[in-house]
Amino acid sequence: MPEFTIHPLLLNSQSDIIPGHNCRLFWDLHELPDYARCVTNPEEFLSVSDLAESATQPALNSIDITCLTFPWRIHIDCSEGITVGDVLRAVQASALRLISHDEWYVLSETEKIEANRNFINRCKLATDFHKCRMGGVRRMDCLQHTLFSGLFASLETDGVFIMELRSPK
């Protein structure tokens, strides 16, 4: 297994950075990655240079991200090396994809009811409710946990990262 480290902003820590946060990054998947903040300085968004920093040291050109509460594999390729911003944009792009019929079919009735509730609530917050509603249910609507809580490397497979999400409080 190659040796590398995950950028501190993306790393899922074994202990709290500050109470209730085991990742330096505070970011809800509902927000653009540009609105991500550091938990130790929540008044300021990450800078362009923060988002441009390499997601790993040494830089990796290809990774996959999985998550127990986000059942879709996210693949990222970047010949110049994957950045913090690349990771956040790929996670959000995957969460914003329309849910497929196959993905909807495997949800339990309880999960479908909750996804519909989240979908309607998201559309109520949108600037154009009807346009949002016509846009359909997104993967994000199926998630109960939408706060990014960091990445850690899979011990089983090279190039695979496990993403932790937690619920907003």
Side-chain angles (χ1 to χ4, degrees), residues 8-13 15-18 20-26 38-39 148-151 166:
L9 285 171
L10 298 174
L11 183 64
N12 176 278
S13 176
S15 57
D16 282 356
I17 307 299
I18 63 170
H21 295 274
N22 61 341
C23 179
R24 291 189 187 282
L25 194 66
F26 182 79
C38 185
V39 296
F148 184 82
S149 192
L151 302 173
R166 65 183 180 85

Side-chain angles (χ1 to χ4, degrees), residues 3-76:
E3 291 292 318
F4 62 87
T5 57
I6 298 172
H7 191 288
L9 285 171
L10 298 174
L11 183 64
N12 176 278
S13 176
Q14 296 296 317
S15 57
D16 282 356
I17 307 299
I18 63 170
H21 295 274
N22 61 341
C23 179
R24 291 189 187 282
L25 194 66
F26 182 79
W27 177 58
D28 189 311
L29 274 61
H30 291 97
E31 299 173 340
L32 293 172
D34 296 347
Y35 295 120
R37 300 176 298 279
C38 185
V39 296
T40 56
N41 190 8
E43 302 302 315
E44 285 188 31
F45 300 122
L46 296 182
S47 68
V48 172
S49 63
D50 290 330
L51 293 170
E53 290 181 14
S54 180
T56 60
Q57 286 300 326
L60 298 177
N61 297 333
S62 178
I63 63 170
D64 286 302
I65 299 173
T66 63
C67 180
L68 296 176
T69 58
F70 189 108
W72 308 283
R73 184 175 285 258
I74 301 166
H75 181 75
I76 307 171

Side-chain angles (χ1 to χ4, degrees), residues 80-146:
E80 295 88 40
I82 297 164
T83 67
V84 170
D86 292 333
V87 170
L88 301 184
R89 285 186 290 276
V91 168
Q92 189 187 47
S94 184
L96 288 175
R97 288 187 62 183
L98 286 171
I99 189 164
S100 71
H101 292 286
D102 291 340
E103 291 168 339
W104 183 258
Y105 180 75
V106 298
L107 296 176
S108 71
E109 284 307 309
T110 303
E111 290 170 324
K112 288 176 183 175
I113 290 167
E114 190 63 31
N116 274 319
R117 183 178 304 125
N118 291 341
F119 169 58
I120 295 300
N121 288 338
R122 179 173 56 81
C123 289
K124 285 179 181 177
L125 294 172
T127 55
D128 186 337
F129 176 84
H130 296 292
K131 183 177 179 181
C132 177
R133 189 160 169 112
M134 294 301 293
V137 177
R138 307 285 171 169
R139 289 174 166 179
M140 177 184 300
D141 298 321
C142 301
L143 300 174
Q144 301 309 306
H145 307 287
T146 60

